[in-house]
Coordinates of all heavy atoms in Angstrom, one line a residue:
G79 N 1.9 11.4 -2.9 CA 1.9 9.9 -2.7 C 0.8 9.5 -1.7 O 0.1 8.5 -1.9
A80 N 0.8 10.2 -0.5 CA -0.2 9.8 0.5 C -1.6 10.0 0.0 O -2.5 9.1 0.2 CB 0.0 10.7 1.7
R81 N -1.9 11.1 -0.7 CA -3.3 11.3 -1.2 C -3.6 10.3 -2.3 O -4.7 9.8 -2.4 CB -3.4 12.8 -1.7 CG -3.4 13.7 -0.5 CD -3.7 15.2 -0.9 NE -2.6 15.7 -1.7 CZ -2.6 16.0 -2.9 NH1 -3.7 15.7 -3.7 NH2 -1.6 16.6 -3.5
F82 N -2.7 10.0 -3.2 CA -2.9 9.0 -4.3 C -3.2 7.7 -3.6 O -4.2 7.0 -4.0 CB -1.7 8.9 -5.2 CG -1.7 7.7 -6.0 CD1 -2.6 7.5 -7.1 CD2 -0.9 6.6 -5.8 CE1 -2.7 6.4 -7.9 CE2 -0.9 5.5 -6.6 CZ -1.8 5.4 -7.6
H83 N -2.4 7.2 -2.7 CA -2.7 5.9 -2.1 C -3.9 5.9 -1.3 O -4.6 4.8 -1.3 CB -1.4 5.5 -1.3 CG -0.3 5.0 -2.1 ND1 0.8 5.8 -2.4 CD2 -0.1 3.8 -2.8 CE1 1.6 5.1 -3.2 NE2 1.1 3.9 -3.4
A84 N -4.3 7.0 -0.7 CA -5.6 7.0 0.1 C -6.8 6.8 -0.9 O -7.7 6.0 -0.7 CB -5.8 8.3 0.8
R85 N -6.7 7.5 -2.1 CA -7.8 7.3 -3.1 C -7.7 5.9 -3.7 O -8.8 5.3 -3.9 CB -7.6 8.3 -4.2 CG -7.8 9.7 -3.7 CD -7.6 10.8 -4.8 NE -8.6 10.7 -5.9 CZ -8.8 11.6 -6.8 NH1 -8.0 12.6 -6.9 NH2 -9.7 11.4 -7.7
L86 N -6.5 5.4 -3.9 CA -6.4 4.1 -4.5 C -6.9 3.0 -3.6 O -7.7 2.1 -4.0 CB -4.9 3.8 -4.8 CG -4.6 2.5 -5.4 CD1 -5.2 2.4 -6.8 CD2 -3.1 2.2 -5.5
F87 N -6.5 3.0 -2.3 CA -7.0 2.0 -1.4 C -8.5 2.1 -1.2 O -9.2 1.0 -1.0 CB -6.3 2.1 0.0 CG -4.8 1.7 -0.2 CD1 -3.9 2.2 0.7 CD2 -4.4 0.8 -1.1 CE1 -2.5 1.9 0.6 CE2 -3.0 0.5 -1.2 CZ -2.1 1.0 -0.4
A88 N -9.1 3.3 -1.2 CA -10.6 3.4 -1.2 C -11.2 2.7 -2.4 O -12.2 2.0 -2.2 CB -11.0 4.9 -1.1
A89 N -10.6 2.9 -3.5 CA -11.1 2.2 -4.7 C -11.0 0.7 -4.6 O -11.8 -0.1 -5.0 CB -10.4 2.8 -6.0
F90 N -9.8 0.3 -4.1 CA -9.6 -1.1 -3.9 C -10.7 -1.8 -3.0 O -11.2 -2.8 -3.3 CB -8.2 -1.4 -3.3 CG -7.1 -1.3 -4.3 CD1 -5.8 -1.3 -3.8 CD2 -7.3 -1.1 -5.6 CE1 -4.7 -1.2 -4.7 CE2 -6.2 -1.0 -6.5 CZ -4.9 -1.1 -6.0
E91 N -11.0 -1.1 -1.9 CA -11.9 -1.6 -0.9 C -13.3 -1.8 -1.6 O -14.1 -2.7 -1.2 CB -12.0 -0.7 0.3 CG -10.8 -0.8 1.2 CD -10.8 0.1 2.4 OE1 -11.8 0.8 2.5 OE2 -9.9 0.1 3.2
R92 N -13.6 -0.9 -2.5 CA -15.0 -0.9 -3.2 C -15.0 -2.0 -4.3 O -16.0 -2.6 -4.5 CB -15.3 0.4 -3.7 CG -15.5 1.5 -2.7 CD -16.1 2.8 -3.4 NE -15.3 3.2 -4.6 CZ -14.4 4.1 -4.5 NH1 -14.1 4.7 -3.3 NH2 -13.7 4.5 -5.6
E93 N -13.9 -2.1 -5.0 CA -13.9 -2.8 -6.3 C -12.9 -3.9 -6.6 O -13.1 -4.6 -7.6 CB -13.8 -1.7 -7.4 CG -14.7 -0.6 -7.4 CD -14.4 0.5 -8.4 OE1 -14.4 0.2 -9.6 OE2 -14.2 1.7 -8.0
L94 N -11.9 -4.0 -5.8 CA -10.8 -4.9 -6.2 C -11.2 -6.4 -6.1 O -11.9 -6.8 -5.2 CB -9.6 -4.7 -5.3 CG -8.3 -5.4 -5.7 CD1 -7.8 -4.9 -7.0 CD2 -7.2 -5.2 -4.6
A95 N -10.8 -7.2 -7.1 CA -11.1 -8.6 -7.2 C -9.8 -9.3 -7.6 O -9.0 -8.8 -8.2 CB -12.2 -8.8 -8.1
P96 N -9.8 -10.6 -7.3 CA -8.7 -11.4 -7.9 C -8.8 -11.6 -9.4 O -9.9 -11.4 -10.0 CB -8.8 -12.8 -7.2 CG -10.2 -12.9 -6.8 CD -10.7 -11.5 -6.5
M97 N -7.7 -11.8 -10.1 CA -7.8 -12.0 -11.5 C -8.6 -13.3 -11.8 O -8.4 -14.3 -11.0 CB -6.4 -12.1 -12.1 CG -5.6 -10.8 -12.1 SD -6.3 -9.6 -13.3 CE -5.8 -10.3 -14.9
P98 N -9.4 -13.4 -12.8 CA -10.1 -14.6 -13.1 C -9.1 -15.8 -13.3 O -8.2 -15.7 -14.1 CB -10.8 -14.2 -14.4 CG -10.9 -12.7 -14.4 CD -9.7 -12.3 -13.7
G99 N -9.4 -16.9 -12.6 CA -8.6 -18.1 -12.8 C -7.5 -18.2 -11.9 O -6.8 -19.3 -11.9
V100 N -7.2 -17.2 -11.0 CA -6.0 -17.3 -10.2 C -6.1 -18.4 -9.2 O -5.1 -19.1 -8.9 CB -5.7 -15.9 -9.5 CG1 -6.8 -15.6 -8.5 CG2 -4.4 -15.9 -8.8
H101 N -7.2 -18.7 -8.6 CA -7.3 -19.8 -7.6 C -7.1 -21.1 -8.3 O -6.4 -22.0 -7.7 CB -8.6 -19.8 -6.9 CG -8.8 -18.7 -5.9 ND1 -8.1 -18.7 -4.7 CD2 -9.5 -17.6 -5.8 CE1 -8.3 -17.7 -3.9 NE2 -9.2 -16.9 -4.6
D102 N -7.5 -21.3 -9.5 CA -7.3 -22.5 -10.2 C -5.8 -22.8 -10.5 O -5.3 -23.9 -10.4 CB -8.1 -22.5 -11.6 CG -9.6 -22.6 -11.4 OD1 -10.0 -23.0 -10.3 OD2 -10.3 -22.1 -12.3
V103 N -5.1 -21.7 -10.8 CA -3.7 -21.8 -11.1 C -2.9 -22.2 -9.8 O -2.1 -23.1 -9.8 CB -3.1 -20.5 -11.6 CG1 -1.6 -20.5 -11.6 CG2 -3.6 -20.2 -13.0
L104 N -3.3 -21.5 -8.7 CA -2.6 -21.9 -7.4 C -3.0 -23.3 -6.9 O -2.1 -24.0 -6.4 CB -3.0 -20.8 -6.3 CG -2.6 -19.4 -6.6 CD1 -3.0 -18.5 -5.5 CD2 -1.1 -19.3 -7.0
D105 N -4.2 -23.7 -7.2 CA -4.6 -25.1 -6.8 C -3.8 -26.1 -7.6 O -3.3 -27.1 -7.0 CB -6.1 -25.3 -7.1 CG -7.0 -24.6 -6.1 OD1 -6.5 -24.2 -5.0 OD2 -8.2 -24.5 -6.4
E106 N -3.5 -25.8 -8.9 CA -2.8 -26.7 -9.7 C -1.3 -26.8 -9.2 O -0.7 -27.9 -9.1 CB -2.8 -26.2 -11.2 CG -2.1 -27.1 -12.1 CD -2.9 -28.4 -12.4 OE1 -4.1 -28.5 -12.2 OE2 -2.2 -29.4 -12.9

Side-chain angles (χ1 to χ4, degrees):
R81 289 186 289 109
F82 164 70
H83 283 101
R85 294 178 69 169
L86 180 64
F87 291 153
F90 282 174
E91 289 178 358
R92 295 189 305 268
E93 304 174 56
L94 190 62
M97 289 291 287
V100 67
H101 284 290
D102 292 337
V103 169
L104 299 183
D105 286 345
E106 183 73 19

